[in-house]
Amino acid sequence: MASQNRRLPAKGRDEGILAKFSESQIVLRGRETAGEVAIVAKKLLRSTGRAAWIAGTTFLVLVVPLIIEMDREAQMNELELQQASLLGTPPPSLAPPPPK
Amino acid sequence: MGLAMSYAAAPPPPPPTHSQTPVGLGVVLPPKTEEKVIKKVDFRNLPCPLPFEEIQREALMSLKPELFEGLRFDFTKGLNQKFSLSHSVFMGSMEVPSQSTDTIKVPTAHYEFGANFLDPKLMLVGRVLTDGRLNARVKCDLTDNLTLKVNAQLTNEPHFSQGMFNFDYKGSDFRTQFQIGNNAFYGGNYIQSVTPNLSLGGEVFWLGHQRKSGIGFAARYNTDKMVATGQVASTGVVALSYVQKVSEKVSFASDLMYNQMTRDVTASFGYDYILRQCRLRGKIDSNGVVSSFLEERLNMGVNFILSAEVDHRKKDYKFGFGMTVGE
């Protein structure tokens, strides 16, 4: 409040030091570039976000089921090996033909 | 057919207990026969090639599973050895073709009743849908070499019914087929084994009502580890496919489709895992479509199906699940 009160009359007379500074060329350019950088960063963030989304969903659809099923298969093989070593003989027909 | 037969004749995969010392197993299991004998090619005794329309079978099996959206339930009940009835319920959404780029989906549900008669010499399959469509197929071996196939699709909308007669002749190292369909469709094709691995074929067809004709050529090269096919037609379609069998359980497939008329190219790459409890197929293609199809065996004769298809570009997502009971 106090600063505003002080600056308002100053602006009318001879554009105070702050106003001079804020309207100088460098600051204007700086502000412009900052704005551009912000826009580019926003775009970049958005596109990386989209790329990450696509990569993530693709991974979810293509790779996750594969990992789960390979894990199951490995588990089953291990179980069978254990049984075989316990019982001495391979268990009969735990391997039905795959679905066509 | 040669490939399928050799696959069928191969011994069932031994239980994966290779890490064990073959003390007990080595006696039980037959010794591994290495059939790597270098034999001279006998050009009078070439294997019979696959039918012309099936030369891309392996690639299609791996890359084109029956993806669906919604729920499906299939039940097949065998009444006796040769006769079986099937019931199938589908609930979900169907895509309606439209001019605009975005797809329109309409919720649909239908029930399908089917009857099958399967005999080595005669095969009769009929399907009736609740929306009035009827599909009938007949496959009949007239002699040892000549087979008649009839395929008919009847709908209650006019001009959409189809009928097709195929006469297949199977020689010792070639196959030929003659087709007659409605709308004055006539076609013929011929495929010949050139070497034990390579077969070449060609086809001609004539569409009487549209006054169009076409010619096409195809080649297929297969060994036990890989299958490569190529197909060119005068309609401007070039299709190439390649399947690599990494092991008995795993195969990788890729295909490339080029259409000269519309100038679009599609390439896709997929995997096909056939494990003991499931079969999993996944595919990614150059249009940004990712899909996978999982068939999980829950019990003897009970399969659980999951289908997923994600089209990133169109933002079109299709997920489906289902059950198949009885086989």
Side-chain angles (χ1 to χ4, degrees), chain B residues 115-137:
Chain B
N116 310 318
F117 178 82
L118 300 174
D119 188 76
K121 289 260 174 212
L122 177 69
M123 192 179 91
L124 303 167
V125 176
R127 295 270 180 279
V128 189
L129 272 81
T130 40
D131 57 2
R133 275 183 286 169
L134 187 138
N135 193 330
R137 275 189 293 153

Side-chain angles (χ1 to χ4, degrees), chain B residues 64-76:
Chain B
K64 303 256 173 0
E66 284 178 52
L67 297 165
F68 61 95
E69 180 174 17
L71 162 94
R72 66 184 302 164
F73 184 84
D74 297 297
F75 178 69
T76 309

Side-chain angles (χ1 to χ4, degrees), chain A residues 50 53-54 57-58 61-62 65-66 69-70 72-73 76-77 80-81 84-85 90 95-100, chain B residues 16 20 25 249 271 273-280 282-283 290-292 294-297 303 310 312 315:
Chain A
R50 188 163 155 68
W53 165 254
I54 288 176
T57 47
T58 303
V61 167
L62 272 187
L66 190 62
E69 290 300 342
M70 297 289 270
R72 258 173 67 99
E73 180 85 356
M76 216 174 330
N77 281 348
E80 208 164 81
L81 256 177
S85 62
K100 277 281 139 62
Chain B
Q20 270 198 331
L25 277 173
K249 294 174 178 172
Y271 62 76
Y273 276 72
I274 302 177
L275 304 175
R276 275 184 294 177
Q277 291 284 321
C278 76
R279 178 170 188 182
L280 178 62
K283 187 189 83 167
V290 181
S291 61
S292 67
L294 170 70
E295 291 159 279
E296 176 95 26
R297 174 187 293 270
N303 289 336
V310 176
H312 289 299
K315 293 216 165 69

Side-chain angles (χ1 to χ4, degrees), chain A residues 11-31:
Chain A
K11 212 167 191 177
R13 276 207 310 275
D14 63 340
E15 301 182 347
I17 195 156
L18 257 174
K20 230 185 230 168
F21 178 71
S22 70
E23 275 161 31
S24 73
Q25 209 65 16
I26 300 167
V27 173
L28 276 179
R29 284 273 296 280
R31 202 190 276 163

